[in-house]
Amino acid sequence: MNVIISASELADVLRSERPPVLLDVRWQLSTAAASGQPFDGRAAYASGHIPGAVFVDLDRELASAPGPRGRHPLPDLDVFGAAMRRAGVSAGTPVVAYDGGIGWAAARAWWLLRWTGHPDVRVLDGGLPAWDGPLEAEAETEAEAEAETEAPAQGDFVPKPAEGAVLDADGAAALARSGVLLDARAGKRYRGEVEPIDPVGGHIPGALSAPTSDNVDADGRFRPAAELRARFGELGVTRDVPVGVYCGSGVSAAHEVLALEVAGIPAALYVGSWSEWTSDPARPVAVGPDPQ
């Protein structure tokens, strides 16, 4: 099954007898917009979303609180499962996740659902900017609320994590030596030239730079599978080599895992990523373009 879906395909399946559950996962890495206020995905959802979509909070429902395990560690499975059931997710119901266009947050939702056993999850290619259908806003008055469509029926999805799809710090370090470990952050952060968030710049020794920006075209849509296979192939990635991905906090790396899946290549995710790696000053750090 394809793991991405175009806006036109989504419009068609929403009119079908078996429409998917829609997850709106709008989120931004930046802590403040031009107004000085942090980005509010819930407010963005309220102002306009694909009809029938349910908002999912990445920071609270797709991750646990920041700490030594990173800025976006794995969520408590009870919290994640409750959020998915609230959205109407059941084991036999198709799911489509979308975000504001960059694809990172939607990929995080996709990865978590796939990791915990859901068999039918896709990401809207290009996110909300690719959608040219109608949008709906949240009701502001009681009369509008009464006219709105009913909330989705409670789902029955129970998360059951798979083995082998998640790396910890030791596993990531070992994979950098025995397989291919990809760093999905911008090249400048990989090389240690800048580090706007974490205390130390650089990369895990042995990791290869593979920014998520190279996964997509100018419109933010994924490059064709053949191009992605060629891109990752130049880094030594094949189906016969174990592959892992990390980023700053396990969000943009999920986008890279999704791109690898489009290319037909399975990969593990180091969820704690650089924010966890650098929380322990004893862990080694490499700088510059050389992986070592």
Side-chain angles (χ1 to χ4, degrees):
M1 186 195 70
N2 200 349
V3 290
I4 57 175
I5 184 171
S6 70
S8 60
E9 290 171 329
L10 177 59
D12 288 341
V13 297
L14 286 174
R15 293 190 293 265
S16 71
E17 295 181 357
R18 190 169 175 256
V21 171
L22 280 177
L23 306 180
D24 183 310
V25 202
R26 271 177 278 183
W27 172 87
Q28 286 184 7
L29 176 63
S30 58
T31 57
S35 63
Q37 297 298 317
F39 175 78
D40 188 339
R42 187 69 179 76
Y45 166 85
S47 67
H49 53 269
I50 298 175
V54 177
F55 178 70
V56 176
D57 191 315
L58 186 148
D59 289 318
R60 294 177 175 83
E61 296 172 321
L62 304 184
S64 297
R69 293 185 300 131
R71 285 193 308 279
H72 291 103
L74 288 172
D76 179 285
L77 290 181
D78 289 338
V79 172
F80 173 65
M84 294 300 99
R85 291 189 292 274
R86 171 185 60 81
V89 175
S90 291
T93 306
V95 178
V96 173
Y98 71 88
D99 57 25
I102 196 169
W104 296 358
R108 172 79 175 213
W110 166 84
W111 181 85
L112 279 168
L113 280 165
R114 287 284 298 270
W115 172 60
T116 54
H118 199 289
D120 190 353
V121 191
R122 288 182 282 181
V123 167
L124 176 59
D125 197 14
L128 192 61
W131 176 257
D132 58 4
L135 298 177
E136 66 180 11
E138 282 198 332
E140 297 183 0
T141 68
E142 290 187 7
E144 289 174 335
E146 291 177 358
E148 276 192 343
T149 57
E150 295 182 2
Q154 182 85 354
D156 63 14
F157 179 68
V158 178
K160 297 178 181 179
E163 296 182 2
V166 178
L167 296 171
D168 59 12
D170 290 340
L175 187 59
R177 298 188 298 269
S178 64
V180 177
L181 181 65
L182 301 178
D183 185 319
R185 299 172 301 160
K188 291 189 295 185
R189 293 182 68 191
Y190 170 88
R191 295 186 295 271
E193 296 167 5
V194 298
E195 183 43 67
I197 305 170
D198 295 309
V200 178
H203 56 271
I204 297 173
L208 304 177
S209 181
T212 55
S213 56
D214 291 340
N215 295 332
V216 297
D217 61 20
D219 294 324
R221 294 176 174 85
F222 279 98
R223 293 161 59 182
E227 289 186 17
L228 289 171
R229 278 193 295 272
R231 181 219 172 179
F232 292 120
E234 291 176 355
L235 295 168
V237 174
T238 70
R239 290 187 61 86
D240 300 323
V241 176
V243 181
V245 188
Y246 75 95
C247 58
S249 65
V251 178
S252 66
H255 187 274
E256 192 107 301
V257 174
L258 178 59
L260 285 157
E261 189 76 16
V262 172
I265 301 166
L269 177 66
Y270 175 22
V271 180
S273 286
W274 191 243
S275 55
E276 180 190 38
W277 185 269
T278 55
S279 69
D280 182 351
R283 293 192 183 109
V285 170
V287 296
D290 190 327
Q292 301 301 330

